[in-house]
Amino acid sequence: MDTQSIKQRFGIIGNSPLLNRAIDTASQVAPTDMSVLITGESGSGKEVFSQIIHQLSARKHGAFIAVNCGAIPEGTIDSELFGHEKGSFTGAHEARKGYFEVANGGTIFLDEVAELPLGTQARLLRILESGEYLRVGSSKVQKTDVRIIAATNVDVYDSVKKGKFREDLYYRLNTVPLRIPPLRERKDDIYLLFRKFVSDFSNKYRTPGIQLENDAVQMLSNYSWPGNVRQLKNIAEQVCVLEKDRNVTAQALLNYIPNEQNNNLPMAVNTSSKEDFSERDILYKVLFDMKKDMVELKKLVAEIIQNGGGNMAHVIADNPQFINQLYQEVDSNNHSAEPTLTIKHPSQSNPNDYNFAHDAEEVEESLSLVDKESDLIKKALKKHKGKRKFAAQELGISERTLYRKIKELNL
């Protein structure tokens, strides 16, 4: 059967080369009994391709059972797949056949296969290798002849590296990989699909037809469609039922398509954890603050040199904010063991009596990043009266990171 005939039989709309390639792969592998792993985003039509493989195979007269592995609780999934004996667990009032026993001679479609527990994965691997399995609560080996088609919307190999999915099972399932392209990679098919859905829903609800203006067609093509074909179908149904004006513009379409922010610009992907990123962020902030303080100190020293140390009142009057900051830092650091910048506060009654040359001690500022980090956290907590949530926002880090820093620095 050629590609066009398959499209007509299974109601597939589109002429994308990626879509045609997926259909060709499905039709070629269908006559065999090889396991197939279908990958694709949610809503892209993975179950349709499992039906293509089953219906074009020698098992087409056998049972086809689709199982959503992510929707079955972990405690009952073994019973659902492999069956159980009477009394094998609480509530097992009678023996029950599992899906693999019911589908003997047919096909099982395991959707969201990456959600299977590790214990169930081991049972599934045994079926793939020998066709044998055990019912829950039984020691009698059962045999089944089932073709397994699996599907997932996540990177299974990434789950393998994280230890969440068995590597041997991955390679047994992935005998033939089949990738379904997302809708955003089939831009020319979007309007075709929308017209098909609109026509179907207009007939179903007996409403007048829908016509899209050029700007609306452009909007459909440019949208990213994270929900793929399923999302497009839902929006087509909403437009058919709710839109009063049957000539739909882009402005009207905005009422149905979620607003996307301009966040699709190229950017580096950070694979490190959020906490690592936050620590680096606060270190950058510390360094920038140190640089700013050094610039202010250089400016202050330059003015003192220019005035020859004689007219200190003029220097203090021109830099009141920085001088007050120095006094506050000196007062807070006087309680610490490390020597820091120490300046004798001038007399408020007669600032001309202040003699920098005699009253200033040697400047020896601590350059420790830990001290700077500690000071920043203290200031943020003091500013927000001990409220850690707002202090964390001020510092640009998560509240969890702030808790950990407070504990590490014994603040």
Side-chain angles (χ1 to χ4, degrees), residues 308-321:
N311 189 7
M312 287 303 301
H314 173 70
V315 175
I316 295 172
D318 287 347
N319 301 276
Q321 184 176 357

Side-chain angles (χ1 to χ4, degrees), residues 158-213:
D158 185 56
S159 298
V160 170
K161 291 188 289 186
K162 293 178 180 177
K164 296 180 180 179
F165 200 83
R166 292 179 63 104
E167 186 173 9
D168 45 6
L169 177 59
Y170 168 70
Y171 288 118
R172 288 304 299 261
L173 289 174
N174 199 33
T175 306
V176 178
L178 179 60
R179 178 181 179 270
I180 312 302
L183 199 54
R184 61 179 173 275
E185 295 180 8
R186 303 167 47 196
K187 287 187 178 292
D188 293 339
D189 296 342
I190 294 174
Y191 184 47
L192 294 175
L193 283 164
F194 186 82
R195 286 174 55 188
K196 174 65 168 60
F197 294 147
V198 163
S199 175
D200 291 345
F201 289 125
S202 295
N203 293 332
K204 179 180 179 180
Y205 299 119
R206 298 179 182 179
T207 58
I210 291 288
Q211 294 292 329
L212 292 185
E213 300 293 341

Side-chain angles (χ1 to χ4, degrees), residues 7 17 39 51 59 73 97 117 162 175 242 298 316 366 370:
K7 289 180 181 178
T39 58
Q51 289 278 6
R59 298 173 179 267
K97 293 182 178 181
K162 293 178 180 177
T175 306
L242 302 177
K298 288 178 181 178
I316 295 172
S366 172
V370 175

Side-chain angles (χ1 to χ4, degrees), residues 10 17 29 52 109 170 184-186 188 234 237 258 348 383 389 398-399 411:
F10 294 95
V29 76
I52 292 174
F109 173 56
Y170 168 70
R184 61 179 173 275
E185 295 180 8
R186 303 167 47 196
D188 293 339
N234 290 343
E237 186 173 12
Q348 297 296 330
K383 178 179 178 181
K389 178 180 179 181
S398 67
E399 194 171 352
L411 299 179

Side-chain angles (χ1 to χ4, degrees), residues 221-350:
S221 299
N222 292 335
Y223 184 61
S224 65
W225 298 107
N228 293 291
V229 179
R230 186 183 295 124
Q231 183 186 11
L232 179 64
K233 186 175 182 179
N234 290 343
I235 288 178
E237 186 173 12
Q238 292 176 41
V239 171
C240 279
V241 174
L242 302 177
E243 192 59 36
K244 295 180 180 179
D245 190 351
R246 310 314 282 182
N247 290 323
V248 180
T249 64
Q251 188 64 34
L253 208 57
L254 282 174
N255 296 324
Y256 307 96
I257 295 181
N259 184 29
E260 284 189 316
Q261 302 296 328
N262 296 325
N263 57 358
N264 293 324
L265 297 176
M267 62 179 293
V269 177
N270 182 17
T271 57
S272 61
S273 67
K274 184 177 179 182
E275 287 211 14
D276 293 339
F277 178 80
S278 299
E279 286 187 34
R280 186 167 67 251
D281 211 25
I282 193 173
L283 287 176
Y284 285 152
K285 184 176 177 65
V286 169
L287 291 173
F288 289 145
D289 288 344
M290 286 177 62
K291 181 178 179 181
K292 181 181 177 182
D293 290 344
M294 291 299 295
V295 170
E296 294 290 347
L297 280 171
K298 288 178 181 178
K299 178 182 174 183
L300 186 62
V301 172
E303 290 190 19
I304 292 172
I305 294 173
Q306 288 177 359
N307 286 278
N311 189 7
M312 287 303 301
H314 173 70
V315 175
I316 295 172
D318 287 347
N319 301 276
Q321 184 176 357
F322 188 64
I323 294 295
N324 290 334
Q325 181 183 347
L326 284 175
Y327 290 148
Q328 292 174 4
E329 291 183 3
V330 169
D331 290 340
S332 63
N333 288 331
N334 276 340
H335 302 289
S336 63
E338 284 194 37
T340 54
L341 177 64
T342 306
I343 300 178
K344 184 178 179 182
H345 200 295
S347 171
Q348 297 296 330
S349 59
N350 188 6

Side-chain angles (χ1 to χ4, degrees), residues 17-38:
L18 293 174
L19 178 66
N20 291 338
R21 181 180 177 184
I23 294 173
D24 289 340
T25 303
S27 64
Q28 290 174 24
V29 76
T32 71
D33 268 347
M34 300 170 70
S35 300
V36 181
L37 180 61
I38 305 175

